Each structure stands twice: as C-alpha cells, then as structure tokens.
Amino acid sequence: MKTIGIFDSGVGGITVLKAIRRALPTFDILYLGDTARVPYGTKSRETVLRYSLQVGDFLYRKGIDLLVIACNTATAYGLHEIRARYDIPVIGVIEPGAQATVALSRSGRIAVIGTSATVQSGQYRSTIQHYLPDADVREIACPMLVPLVEENWCGTDVAHLILQRYLGQLRGQVDTLVLGCTHYPMLKEDIARVLPGVTQVDSAEETARTIVGLTGVPAPGTLGTTTYYMTDTSQRFAEIASSFLGESVGSIEHIDL
C-alpha cells in the first residue's frame, strides 16, 4: 500500500491530510476538495451520496490503495455504499472519533457538534452508545461553522460570537466534545475559549491512527508527494490550507466531475 486518496467537500479534509501525512510520511496522497459543491452538510442524503461516489470514482481511477472519506456528512450518509463499490479499504471518520470519545470521557456526558446532516443522521450518538450504552450524548447542529472556516474567519470576534451562541449552553454540562466535522479542528482554539477544560476529540487524528493500524508503521524512506484536485479552485483554499499545514500546497488541478 502506497497511495491514499482523501476527499472532502472543501478545505476541512486538510485536517485529516495533515494527520495522515504526519503518521505516514512516505505515502503519496491525493486530496480532492469538492469546492464547487461545498457544503455537503445542508444537502439531502441522495445528493451527498451521488457527490461522494463521483469523487470516489475519480480517486479510484487514479490507482489509490485506500480511500478516506474525510467528511462526516459523507461518512454518515454513504460509508456502506462507498465501501461496497470499491475493492480497496474505505475509512470513514465517525467510528474512529466515537471510539476515542468513549475512551476519553470521564463522566459519559458528551456533546457532538456537526453539520445539520451529520446530526440528523444520529450516527455519532448511536456509535458512541454502542460502546458506552449509558452515555448522555447531546448533538448540536452548527451549520454556520463550515462557511466560517471556508471564509478563513477562525480566530476572529465573529467566530467567538457564533461559537458562544452554539456552545454556551454546554458550559458545565459535558466533559467531552466531539468535533463532528473535519472543518472544526481549525476552530480548536476558539472552541477552547468558549468551553475551557472540555476535552475536544479530533476525528482527523483518530482516523490517522486507524489507518496506521491497517498499514503498519512505515519504514523510513523518501517523503511522499501530495497532489491536490479541486472542483472549483480558489485562492482562499490555498491560503487556508497552506496556513494550517505550515507549507505551501503548491499547484492545484481543477477537475470537472
């Protein structure tokens, strides 16, 4: 196994890419951001599944050895169908995040934040309660957070006010918060200011650990390459991704699906 394909609706999957690159530095990565159709979290299950299969088909034709659905909404709505379509491992982000949450929560009082579609699916609640039946799970849809990240407004007064509106109700009520969208780790510091002392579970980091469990720790070698594809390229994506990764994303290839 040498090449990993990752897709998300936009820039959020960069959090997963960064975690995988750190864990598996010698692997090649193909990243596809469906930026022409972001966000997925406000769309129907049928639409999200159709989009996911289109981007999955594109990456599969590129010869990837493993596919990562770096989008909680696409994982919630299409993981089983996507797995059935390809003869390679397909990893979603919900199961790894839920398992880590159960291990980290001291009281079983857990909150999940995500897109409207992810929350409506109930996948996080059911998966967490599968491992911890007595868990008290609160799910909150935060539809404004993806546009906030896509506009690169992390760390602003606007971000603080929006997070205060969404998360203020959780202060003193939970000990663990699941970042149920791969855009949200870019808001970790903002969230910590609203919910100090609450453990944040980053599904990107947990997904990377799951992949290492499948591939094994790689032997030292030449650093892998990262190739970027976008359905609607924009300078903003490059700026946000470069800032989060701490390096230039280089060229981005525009594609039509």
Side-chain angles (χ1 to χ4, degrees):
M1 185 177 294
K2 180 62 177 174
T3 304
I4 296 175
I6 304 171
F7 80 84
D8 182 48
S9 62
V11 74
I14 292 296
T15 61
V16 179
L17 184 155
K18 183 176 183 178
I20 293 173
R21 168 61 66 220
R22 186 163 53 240
L24 299 166
T26 61
F27 281 47
D28 295 328
I29 296 177
L30 308 184
Y31 182 91
L32 196 160
D34 194 6
T35 44
R37 303 184 291 197
V38 64
Y40 281 7
T42 58
K43 296 176 173 64
S44 68
R45 180 186 185 279
E46 292 74 20
T47 296
V48 172
L49 180 57
R50 183 173 75 254
Y51 291 174
S52 299
L53 293 175
Q54 288 172 351
V55 297
D57 285 352
F58 175 87
L59 291 170
Y60 183 77
R61 290 194 298 268
K62 291 292 183 179
I64 60 173
D65 301 302
L66 183 147
L67 178 63
V68 180
I69 308 173
C71 172
N72 284 267
T73 300
T75 300
Y77 278 169
L79 178 61
H80 299 300
E81 290 87 345
I82 297 169
R83 276 182 172 163
R85 191 176 184 92
Y86 308 118
D87 58 355
I88 58 174
V90 177
I91 306 297
V93 289
I94 290 179
E95 181 85 14
Q99 290 182 338
T101 300
V102 169
L104 290 169
S105 179
R106 302 177 304 277
S107 67
R109 293 183 294 132
I110 297 162
V112 178
I113 56 173
T115 66
S116 298
T118 298
V119 169
Q120 289 168 9
S121 77
Q123 288 293 313
Y124 267 107
R125 178 191 296 273
S126 62
T127 305
I128 290 169
Q129 291 181 334
H130 170 75
Y131 294 106
L132 187 64
D134 294 333
D136 177 11
V137 182
R138 300 176 61 175
E139 296 180 289
I140 300 174
C142 303
M144 291 186 68
L145 297 188
V146 168
L148 191 74
V149 172
E150 293 283 337
E151 289 295 326
N152 201 17
W153 283 5
C154 303
T156 65
D157 291 341
V158 173
H160 181 78
L161 289 170
I162 292 173
L163 287 165
Q164 180 67 37
R165 183 66 176 265
Y166 283 139
L167 306 182
Q169 61 186 295
L170 298 176
R171 194 174 291 113
Q173 302 299 309
V174 300
D175 71 3
T176 308
L177 178 71
V178 183
L179 307 181
C181 173
T182 49
H183 284 72
Y184 296 176
M186 296 186 185
L187 292 162
K188 276 183 177 179
E189 293 182 4
D190 301 276
I191 292 170
R193 284 192 284 271
V194 176
L195 294 177
V198 173
T199 299
Q200 298 182 45
V201 177
D202 180 349
S203 59
E205 296 288 347
E206 303 308 325
T207 300
R209 291 189 182 96
T210 296
I211 294 170
V212 171
L214 286 175
T215 64
V217 178
T222 304
L223 293 179
T225 61
T226 303
T227 305
Y228 296 91
Y229 302 97
M230 298 289 137
T231 53
D232 181 23
T233 55
S234 71
Q235 186 61 34
R236 182 178 293 114
F237 175 93
E239 291 171 356
I240 299 170
S242 297
S243 176
F244 187 76
L245 293 171
E247 62 185 37
S248 172
V249 301
S251 62
I252 300 173
E253 181 177 340
H254 177 269
I255 62 169
D256 293 312
L257 296 174

